[in-house]
Amino acid sequence: MDTTAINPYLSRALDRVIRPLARLLLANGIPLQTAVEMLKQALVDSAEEDFSLDRKAQTDSRISLLTGVHRKDVKRLRLREAARKEAPQAISMGARLVSLWLSQAPFIDANEAPVALPRLRSQGGDQSFEALAEQISKDIRPRAVLDELVRVGAVSFDLDDRVTLNTEAFIPSASAEERLYYLGRTLGDHMEAASRNVTGTPRPFLDRIVHYDSIPMTAIEDLRGAAEKAGMQALKNINRKAMEAGQATPDEAPQRITFGVYFFTEPASPDGDKTS
């Protein structure tokens, strides 16, 4: 397809999306051929899942027509096992544990802040790390969970040897596997929300930002701090509501949600967007 035929506003938007993706690819040594193969897979997957016809099986020929991917490649890519989307176990357990620690008694204080926890039930009873970990899983020893959270920097020990939460969000710092999982989860879901808002959805997803392009450097740290404080409060509020909602019943179709906030700054372009 001739790129000049693309809506110029869409082209401009895609340029802004693709550029940081290109940086990520180059930083990780992923060449054009590999990137093209990944794009082909994504096009085939989307054509099969999102553009099927009612009561008609999706064919290789139709997918090839929709995507421009050669029919032989379509057949090969449709047979490829889909990449697993589940979080690594350490992330899944750690994130659920931190969510509980941030939202439920007796693991929060009167100000709804996470409290330092004795490591063992014999030391703190129901208000202990062992009790907290057992609410998430009884199949994995609390000590193993604790060691993993210490490894990624999510928890540490205070002077009284109590376990303290270092961050109010589970952001792993040690494992590339964990960081890359969250890269895919956060950017993927944000792109899903934003792109569906553009292509049309019965109820638009929340997707709002505040952006300015002439902020003095001296104000950046204050703005960063304010954004982190407001963002963490919003995350904690939604986390608490989600925990209160409980689990879907067996006869319900379970839904998943993602809610996030972010802050970014860099030198402004002389011909960039103007103050909003």
Side-chain angles (χ1 to χ4, degrees), residues 156-178:
S156 59
F157 296 95
D158 66 12
L159 295 178
D160 295 320
D161 202 35
R162 295 175 303 181
V163 185
T164 63
L165 186 62
N166 290 340
T167 60
E168 294 190 342
F170 184 61
I171 306 174
S173 59
S175 167
E177 178 189 24
E178 292 156 352

Side-chain angles (χ1 to χ4, degrees), residues 200-236:
T201 182
R203 183 176 181 179
F205 292 101
L206 173 66
D207 187 25
R208 300 288 186 270
I209 61 172
V210 174
H211 60 97
Y212 288 84
D213 296 283
S214 299
I215 299 294
M217 180 64 75
T218 53
I220 293 299
E221 286 308 311
D222 282 345
L223 288 167
R224 188 194 305 271
E228 290 176 355
K229 182 177 180 180
M232 281 310 309
Q233 187 58 54
L235 290 170
K236 289 170 69 176

Side-chain angles (χ1 to χ4, degrees), residues 89 93 133-142 144-145:
Q89 186 182 46
M93 282 199 62
E134 287 174 350
Q135 288 198 34
I136 304 301
S137 173
K138 295 187 181 297
D139 297 327
I140 299 179
R141 292 186 300 109
V145 178

Side-chain angles (χ1 to χ4, degrees), residues 100 104-108 115 117-135 138:
L100 189 62
Q104 300 292 312
F107 309 114
I108 53 176
V115 299
L117 301 174
R119 187 168 66 84
L120 303 175
R121 271 188 181 275
S122 60
Q123 300 168 322
D126 289 341
Q127 193 181 48
S128 64
F129 182 86
E130 187 174 37
L132 173 61
E134 287 174 350
Q135 288 198 34
K138 295 187 181 297

Side-chain angles (χ1 to χ4, degrees), residues 27-151:
N28 286 274
I30 298 176
L32 175 63
Q33 294 88 341
T34 304
V36 168
E37 181 73 4
M38 295 170 71
L39 179 58
K40 285 182 180 179
Q41 182 74 67
L43 288 169
V44 169
D45 289 347
S46 180
E48 184 157 30
E49 296 176 14
D50 305 322
F51 294 89
S52 60
L53 299 174
D54 289 342
R55 296 182 295 278
K56 287 187 178 181
Q58 192 73 295
T59 65
D60 292 348
S61 295
R62 184 168 186 272
I63 291 177
S64 178
L65 179 65
L66 285 171
T67 63
V69 178
H70 194 281
R71 195 157 61 89
K72 289 192 298 185
D73 284 337
V74 169
K75 184 175 182 180
R76 172 178 59 83
L77 293 169
R78 292 183 78 185
L79 293 173
R80 181 180 293 175
E81 182 180 357
R84 293 177 59 84
K85 295 182 179 180
E86 293 85 356
Q89 186 182 46
I91 295 176
S92 179
M93 282 199 62
R96 284 157 53 205
L97 184 145
V98 172
S99 293
L100 189 62
W101 198 344
L102 287 169
S103 61
Q104 300 292 312
F107 309 114
I108 53 176
D109 62 20
N111 297 316
E112 299 185 342
V115 299
L117 301 174
R119 187 168 66 84
L120 303 175
R121 271 188 181 275
S122 60
Q123 300 168 322
D126 289 341
Q127 193 181 48
S128 64
F129 182 86
E130 187 174 37
L132 173 61
E134 287 174 350
Q135 288 198 34
I136 304 301
S137 173
K138 295 187 181 297
D139 297 327
I140 299 179
R141 292 186 300 109
R143 182 70 208 199
V145 178
L146 177 60
D147 288 344
E148 178 62 16
L149 291 176
V150 169
R151 182 185 71 82

